[in-house]
Amino acid sequence: MTKLSLVTILTISAAVAGGDIAPVEPVVEAPAVVESSTSISGKASLIYITNDNEIASDMFSKGASESAAAITLDVSHKIIDNIVANFTAIGYTSLGNTIGNGTDTWTGNYLEGQETGAYFNVANITATYADTTLIAGRQLLGTPMLQGYDWLIAPGAFEAYTLANQSIGNLTLVASYIDKWRANNSGETFAELNGDNWTVGATYSEGFDVNIWYYNIDAANYTQVYADVGYTFSGIALEAQYVSTSFDTGFGTDSSAFGARISTTIAGFDLSAAYNRLIDGTTGYIGWNNLYVNSWNMSVADQYNGQDLDAFKVSASTTIAGISATISYADFDNGHETDVILGYDITQAIDFTAVYTNNKNNTGAIDSTNVLEFYANYKF
């Protein structure tokens, strides 16, 4: 056949094919889709905060303001199937602190306590087998009475070992052993927590929501039980919570805290009203907590002042012309806080947030404090 003319080859092909010759497409094996073993994301941030409380002067006086630029880089790398390494690296530098008319700078009041720095806020190995997950190393925790508050440059984080299981329907079982803690805006050091500090909890969600947690916090000399329940019907959400804190002898008075909250949406406004009562003493927590009357700057758990305390909070939020707005007012008996929080997504990658708070502490030397915070983020 190799010696036949092109016309002869075409004639033979036509006869064999019955005159219907379709072009033969080359057989090319589709390339295998390989999932990347590493994912990278992050954000660049500009942060500015000022107040009129630092030296009991005006909002923009010496020492009142702090500003910084920060980079957050999140990296997740799959070592093998079901085992992943996670890292969050933070780098930051001060942009200067304004005095009065802006002609000078103040060298104090750096965010994170120093002019320039970097640290790993998250560095852990996450291993999953069937319905069980183990997280070992630096991590973010979100349990009701032990968690890192997300504020300023980076959320508070912990060095811990966390085990979670979801083998039973809508029930999740969690256990964490906590070794170290880096509080918000406290610098780069993860501080050692003395003694044994651990929590076990169960969360359930089907038709209604339930959380039950037990805490053993040797570092603050207490054990604690936390429980809450939530149920939604006809667009109205009802929630209730209870916290019992038992301090070691000589370290505090055993205390109880109760809470209730109702929320709904009316004409595009998300509305809520909350109540907490603190009885006999302070309510223990590490980092931040889930008490319903908490506000941007003040936690109701810190407001106990020698007598039982009743605290209330009302809040409304909506979105207008792409701007999300939340206004809230909380009364703690010993003081109050008013918050106005505005957020706007300029693009999918760029967002801006402004926060105004007014805090009044009836038991402190300074009657009232106004605080302004501005955040701009570029996500990549």
Side-chain angles (χ1 to χ4, degrees), residues 238-278:
L238 300 176
E239 300 167 90
Q241 64 184 180
Y242 169 73
V243 189
S244 175
T245 306
S246 299
F247 289 93
D248 293 344
T249 302
F251 289 98
T253 302
D254 294 351
S255 66
S256 299
F258 298 87
R261 181 166 57 191
I262 182 171
S263 56
T264 190
T265 300
I266 300 176
F269 286 84
D270 296 327
L271 308 174
S272 69
Y275 168 76
N276 277 122
R277 179 169 176 81
L278 274 57

Side-chain angles (χ1 to χ4, degrees), residues 160-245:
Y161 302 89
T162 298
L163 192 66
N165 178 270
Q166 294 181 306
S167 298
I168 306 172
N170 296 295
L171 177 68
T172 301
L173 304 175
V174 181
S176 288
Y177 183 89
I178 302 95
D179 184 48
K180 295 180 180 179
W181 170 42
R182 192 199 70 82
N184 285 103
N185 200 34
S186 66
E188 305 167 9
T189 302
F190 280 71
E192 191 86 30
L193 294 176
N194 297 327
D196 293 321
N197 303 275
W198 52 270
T199 181
V200 291
T203 67
Y204 179 82
S205 180
E206 185 178 13
F208 58 93
D209 302 316
V210 177
N211 284 281
I212 300 175
W213 292 80
Y214 178 83
Y215 296 87
N216 182 92
I217 308 297
D218 284 351
N221 302 297
Y222 69 82
T223 59
Q224 187 177 70
V225 174
Y226 173 93
D228 68 38
V229 60
Y231 180 69
T232 300
F233 69 97
S234 301
I236 300 174
L238 300 176
E239 300 167 90
Q241 64 184 180
Y242 169 73
V243 189
S244 175
T245 306

Side-chain angles (χ1 to χ4, degrees), residues 50-98:
T50 188
N51 67 81
D52 59 7
N53 181 36
E54 189 70 25
I55 56 172
S57 187
D58 64 85
M59 180 77 75
F60 303 100
S61 64
K62 176 180 177 179
S65 65
E66 309 166 54
S67 58
I71 296 289
T72 300
L73 188 65
D74 297 314
V75 178
S76 179
H77 176 73
K78 184 173 73 174
I79 300 173
I80 60 175
D81 285 345
N82 302 325
I83 299 181
V84 178
N86 301 292
F87 303 93
T88 297
I90 310 289
Y92 59 92
T93 185
S94 172
L95 298 179
N97 302 300
T98 304

Side-chain angles (χ1 to χ4, degrees), residues 39-56:
S39 63
I40 301 174
S41 63
K43 65 178 180 179
S45 304
L46 296 175
I47 302 163
Y48 177 82
I49 179 171
T50 188
N51 67 81
D52 59 7
N53 181 36
E54 189 70 25
I55 56 172

Side-chain angles (χ1 to χ4, degrees), residues 130-144:
D131 298 319
T132 301
T133 298
L134 171 67
I135 305 173
R138 294 186 178 182
Q139 57 192 274
L140 305 181
L141 291 175
T143 78

Side-chain angles (χ1 to χ4, degrees), residues 200-373:
V200 291
T203 67
Y204 179 82
S205 180
E206 185 178 13
F208 58 93
D209 302 316
V210 177
N211 284 281
I212 300 175
W213 292 80
Y214 178 83
Y215 296 87
N216 182 92
I217 308 297
D218 284 351
N221 302 297
Y222 69 82
T223 59
Q224 187 177 70
V225 174
Y226 173 93
D228 68 38
V229 60
Y231 180 69
T232 300
F233 69 97
S234 301
I236 300 174
L238 300 176
E239 300 167 90
Q241 64 184 180
Y242 169 73
V243 189
S244 175
T245 306
S246 299
F247 289 93
D248 293 344
T249 302
F251 289 98
T253 302
D254 294 351
S255 66
S256 299
F258 298 87
R261 181 166 57 191
I262 182 171
S263 56
T264 190
T265 300
I266 300 176
F269 286 84
D270 296 327
L271 308 174
S272 69
Y275 168 76
N276 277 122
R277 179 169 176 81
L278 274 57
I279 301 173
D280 294 335
T282 59
T283 301
Y285 69 94
I286 299 293
W288 198 245
N289 62 84
N290 275 5
L291 294 185
Y292 295 149
V293 182
N294 287 347
S295 295
W296 185 268
N297 287 319
M298 301 169 69
S299 170
V300 65
D302 299 325
Q303 305 307 310
Y304 185 84
N305 191 37
Q307 58 184 0
D308 294 352
L309 179 146
D310 293 298
F312 304 86
K313 178 180 178 179
V314 291
S315 176
S317 61
T318 191
T319 300
I320 302 174
I323 299 174
S324 62
T326 298
I327 300 174
S328 65
Y329 174 81
D331 185 287
F332 302 103
D333 277 357
N334 300 319
H336 63 245
E337 177 170 336
T338 301
D339 299 335
V340 179
I341 305 169
L342 304 175
Y344 182 68
D345 291 336
I346 300 173
T347 68
Q348 289 186 341
I350 302 174
D351 62 73
F352 179 80
T353 302
V355 181
Y356 166 76
T357 62
N358 173 268
N359 309 313
K360 182 181 175 78
N361 188 341
N362 296 335
T363 62
I366 297 175
D367 181 61
S368 181
T369 301
N370 296 291
V371 183
L372 280 174
E373 302 176 38

